């Protein structure tokens, strides 16, 4: 597990390996709320945009939030504002990718359900920030959600294109049967 941590030290030496490997860890195991959320959210997203695109949203959010939280740590260590031990803080898990996927999926919702989901998720993230137990992760989570939301227009385009392809295929199939 330590070898796949996306701490600043690993990002400086083996960035691609740790960015992919750390995204595969499920903190709390397969019975955790994160695992259940991941299954529900990625399944819904995959149905709307396809498997590769859903994976791209997940990985893109994981990478964006990881870099947004870990690069400043490295810079603060270099500037002498943080101790060198900060470069080796254990950081792994699916939460950044999951939250990016939630943000992207809500782009496909109607306004009221979108607002309800974002309000609920934002309240949970705010509680984590106020608890201040893990500042990097606690700030990375809203950043990941924002990354997913920022990709919303692209995700809507993907979903629209996929739906259009499905309709054309159904139309061709009906024409072929007639």
């Amino acid at each position: 597990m330590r070898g796949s941590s996306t701490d600043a030290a690993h990002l400086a030496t083996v960035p691609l390996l740790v960015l992919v490997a750390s995204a595969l860890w499920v903190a709390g195991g397969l019975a955790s709320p994160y695992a259940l959320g991941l299954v529900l959210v990625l399944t819904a997203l995959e149905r709307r945009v396809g498997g590769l695109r859903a994976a791209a949203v997940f990985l893109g959010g994981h990478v964006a939030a990881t870099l947004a939280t870990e690069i400043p740590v490295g810079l603060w260590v270099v500037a002498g504002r943080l101790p060198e031990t900060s470069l080796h803080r254990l950081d792994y898990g699916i939460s950044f990718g999951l939250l990016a996927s939630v943000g992207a999926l809500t782009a496909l919702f109607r306004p009221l359900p979108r607002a309800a989901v974002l309000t609920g998720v934002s309240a949970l993230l705010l509680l984590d920030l106020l608890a201040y137990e893990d500042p990097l992760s606690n700030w990375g989570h809203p950043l990941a959600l924002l990354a997913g939301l920022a990709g919303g227009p692209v995700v809507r385009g993907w979903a629209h294109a996929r739906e259009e392809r499905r309709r054309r295929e159904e139309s061709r199939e009906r024409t072929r049967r007639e």
Side-chain angles (χ1 to χ4, degrees), residues 36-82:
L36 176 61
L38 183 70
V39 169
L40 295 174
V41 170
L42 278 186
T43 298
L45 190 58
E46 185 274 335
R47 284 192 69 213
R48 300 290 294 277
V49 302
L52 289 176
R53 289 175 172 161
V57 168
F58 176 88
L59 192 57
H62 171 74
V63 169
T66 297
L67 295 178
T69 55
E70 293 294 338
I71 288 174
V73 169
L75 294 174
W76 280 71
V77 169
V78 169
R81 299 280 189 154
L82 285 174

Side-chain angles (χ1 to χ4, degrees), residues 54-135:
V57 168
F58 176 88
L59 192 57
H62 171 74
V63 169
T66 297
L67 295 178
T69 55
E70 293 294 338
I71 288 174
V73 169
L75 294 174
W76 280 71
V77 169
V78 169
R81 299 280 189 154
L82 285 174
E84 194 168 318
T85 57
S86 299
L87 297 175
H88 303 282
R89 189 189 69 77
L90 192 60
D91 183 32
Y92 63 92
I94 61 173
S95 61
F96 289 172
L98 171 61
L99 284 159
S101 299
V102 167
L105 182 62
T106 62
L108 303 174
F109 293 174
R110 294 181 188 270
L112 190 57
R114 179 183 314 126
V117 169
L118 291 176
T119 298
V121 170
S122 296
L124 292 172
L125 297 179
L126 180 60
L127 289 173
D128 279 348
L129 282 169
L130 292 174
Y132 205 68
E133 292 172 359
D134 184 359

